[in-house]
Amino acid sequence: MLLGSNLQFSRWTFFKHLPTRKFKLTTLCQHKSVATLTHFGTLTSHQKHQIHLYVDTLLQWNKRMNLTAVREVNDVMERHVEDSLAILPVLSDCYRSHCGSSCDKLSLVDVGTGAGLPGVVLAIARPEWDVTLMESMNKRCVFLEHVVGVIGSSNVKIVRGRAENLGHNPCFREKFDVAVARAVAEMRILAEYCLPLVRVGGLFIAAKGHDPEDEIKKAESAIQKVGASLLQVCSVESQSPYGQRTAVICSKDRPTPLKYPRDPGTPAKEPL
């Protein structure tokens, strides 16, 4: 289902439903992913087939539009697919322990999904979850709609629009159990983009680089202003150049003040 920021259904809706304080690193946890694609190996044969369809389609479309700088199948599998799957143990463990409920059925939004990373990969790995892909660029939404049809996932919805606008839309504001973002912006900006979309009691998980400590320190005030607090910083070994990523996990403690997110472009120009 492709939705514009004005909430009008595209013509596809009628023909298909997309089947075809100071910061301290005191809560560091470890989740491992090795070059043998450990997390990919845990998928079913059908899920692996879906992943291969996704990667093949991504690389085909990448020849005519810029979706990823990674050009080879093995590199996409290691640096994008395995990297996206690596946050699942972090997400699941933290949701069960902090939110006090099962993560068998979650509503998850991937903000600034781009080529569908990590959202499409997570939707394949967790078909019982409802996954929303938010993307502002129309051509990327066209790709996403196509690739979701190719892999045959019925648990994915695509929404076209800016997070600053969608964060005020009652259909999306504080409606999701979990928000994720990967390679979108720095933490101060991401907090304002993502946390207004998360329900009170839910989680926001940002996939960051190997050493985000300074970035997180700068973002602490922004996280608090939009109604959240820093919960955990988890080291996740990956196929990135440094062999490690960091999952920064925030807990949504109270409703986001109505003035956030600010007008489109303002969070990036004037971070909280």
Side-chain angles (χ1 to χ4, degrees), residues 187-188 191 214-224 272:
M187 278 299 299
R188 290 183 297 171
D214 288 341
E215 182 180 342
I216 297 170
K217 286 180 182 178
K218 292 178 182 177
E220 187 172 6
S221 175
I223 292 168
Q224 292 174 350
L272 294 173

Side-chain angles (χ1 to χ4, degrees), residues 14-134:
F14 302 101
F15 295 102
K16 62 179 181 179
H17 193 65
L18 291 183
T20 46
R21 329 166 282 263
K22 284 187 177 179
F23 168 73
K24 293 182 180 179
L25 261 175
T26 56
T27 53
L28 189 67
C29 53
Q30 296 285 338
H31 289 268
K32 236 177 182 195
S33 165
V34 294
T36 53
L37 302 181
T38 302
H39 297 291
F40 177 75
T42 66
L43 302 180
T44 67
S45 58
H46 176 65
Q47 289 169 329
K48 291 176 181 177
H49 178 63
Q50 288 179 300
I51 291 290
H52 287 308
L53 288 174
Y54 168 70
V55 172
D56 289 345
T57 305
L58 171 64
L59 291 176
Q60 284 298 318
W61 279 60
N62 202 48
K63 293 176 181 178
R64 58 181 187 269
M65 61 186 290
N66 184 26
L67 292 168
T68 175
V70 182
R71 308 292 180 180
E72 301 296 328
V73 171
N74 288 343
D75 291 338
V76 174
M77 290 296 297
E78 290 185 353
R79 294 173 58 183
H80 286 329
V81 173
E82 185 72 7
D83 201 59
S84 295
L85 290 172
I87 71 170
L88 272 175
V90 177
L91 191 163
S92 300
D93 291 350
C94 193
Y95 191 85
R96 279 192 295 263
S97 61
H98 179 73
C99 302
S101 59
S102 168
C103 56
D104 291 341
K105 182 72 173 177
L106 289 183
S107 60
L108 179 145
V109 59
D110 178 10
V111 179
T113 186
L117 297 161
V120 170
V121 176
L122 298 181
I124 291 172
R126 294 293 183 269
E128 69 276 16
W129 292 1
D130 293 322
V131 176
T132 297
L133 308 177
M134 284 190 174

Side-chain angles (χ1 to χ4, degrees), residues 228-247:
S229 59
L230 181 65
L231 184 64
Q232 279 190 340
V233 179
C234 294
S235 176
V236 181
E237 291 190 18
S238 75
Q239 306 308 312
S240 67
Y242 292 94
Q244 178 179 297
R245 275 191 175 274
T246 306

